[in-house]
Every structure is written in C-alpha cells, then in structure tokens.
C-alpha cells in the first residue's frame, strides 16, 4: 500500500487555544501528509473513534491546559483496548520535562515543546511511521 502518512491532530478537553495545532496541521500537510484536525473540545473517546474511522498512522495531541498526565494515559489505555499499537502517539504543548519523560515511558512517542520546528516534527513522524508501517 502506497499512500501519504495520515495524521489526526486533536485538542482534548476544554483548552480552547488551537493556533499551534493549526500551524502544525498546516505544516504537516505541506510536508505531504494527509491531516485530519478534530477541532476543539474533544474527548479521548472521540479522538480514538476518529482515528479508527480515518485509519490514521499518527495521533498528535496538542495540550496547553496542564491536563497532560490525565489525557495521555487515557488515550494510551483506549489505544491499547483497540489494538492500535501500530499508531504513533505524539504530543505538543506545555509539558514539563519530567512529565514528558514519564509519558514517553508510558508509550507516547515524543512530546514537542514550544520552539520545536515544524520540520523536525514532520521528520520525526516520517521516521517513526516508516518503522511501524511498511509502505
């Protein structure tokens, strides 16, 4: 199967700041990926349902609310329940380094902090998806 990488960009919870998510979505699209943006105020269940329906390779969660230690574990739990081990989970936003390390240990691929370049995010996604899926 030869198709572009499919990325779902999500904002979970009440955090209404989505400028960064939109910038990332545009940059990934410009890098040749298909991007689905879920919009604001999603639940983890809604994000997983959309990821399954859209057959995505990557779920990217933008989080600025401070709820990352609640949101990511819930998403990981739902992904495991749906046997989505071939889907890369990444995040971006305000996440302290210690929390980012804990999330990575739980199964998040990488957390991109403010100042990360869009090129480095696209490159990381391309490298990691190539390891998970053969196309």
């Amino acid at each position: 199967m030869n198709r572009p990488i499919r990325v779902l960009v999500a904002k979970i919870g009440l955090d209404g700041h989505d400028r960064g998510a939109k910038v990332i979505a545009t940059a990934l699209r410009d890098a040749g990926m298909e991007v689905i943006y879920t919009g604001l105020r999603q639940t983890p269940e809604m994000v997983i349902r959309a990821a399954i329906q859209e057959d995505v390779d990557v779920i990217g969660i933008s989080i600025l609310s401070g709820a990352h230690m609640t949101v990511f574990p819930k998403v990981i739990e739902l992904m495991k329940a749906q046997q989505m081990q071939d889907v890369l989970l990444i995040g971006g936003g305000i996440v302290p380094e210690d929390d980012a390390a804990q999330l990575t240990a739980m199964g998040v691929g990488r957390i991109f902090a403010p100042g990360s370049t869009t090129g480095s995010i696209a490159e990381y996604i391309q490298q990691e998806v190539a390891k998970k899926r053969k196309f």
Side-chain angles (χ1 to χ4, degrees):
M1 177 167 59
N2 190 5
R3 64 167 172 78
I5 294 171
R6 295 178 58 84
V7 181
L8 183 105
V9 177
K11 292 290 296 184
I12 295 177
L14 299 177
D15 176 9
H17 299 92
D18 66 347
R19 182 176 179 205
K22 289 178 179 177
V23 168
I24 296 302
T26 300
L28 297 179
R29 183 202 63 209
D30 291 348
M33 299 178 202
E34 290 183 13
V35 180
I36 300 96
Y37 175 54
T38 62
L40 296 170
R41 296 174 183 82
Q42 301 294 299
T43 65
E45 293 81 5
M46 292 165 72
V47 169
I48 296 303
R49 199 167 30 252
I52 292 167
Q53 289 172 351
E54 295 290 346
D55 190 27
V56 299
D57 303 298
V58 181
I59 298 172
I61 297 173
S62 170
I63 193 150
L64 301 168
S65 66
H68 51 274
M69 295 306 286
T70 302
V71 167
F72 280 99
K74 181 64 177 176
V75 170
I76 291 167
E77 173 190 324
L78 293 168
M79 289 176 72
K80 286 180 180 175
Q82 293 295 324
Q83 299 178 345
M84 297 173 71
Q85 62 275 2
D86 60 340
V87 176
L88 174 65
L89 175 63
I90 60 172
I94 309 297
V95 178
E97 287 182 26
D98 289 346
D99 291 353
Q102 288 181 45
L103 293 172
T104 299
M106 289 180 201
V108 176
R110 189 158 166 204
I111 301 290
F112 292 92
S116 299
T117 66
T118 56
S120 68
I121 297 168
E123 184 178 327
Y124 176 79
I125 289 171
Q126 290 164 342
Q127 290 172 354
E128 292 303 308
V129 169
K131 293 175 190 175
K132 291 179 177 285
R133 293 216 174 153
K134 308 296 183 214
F135 60 87

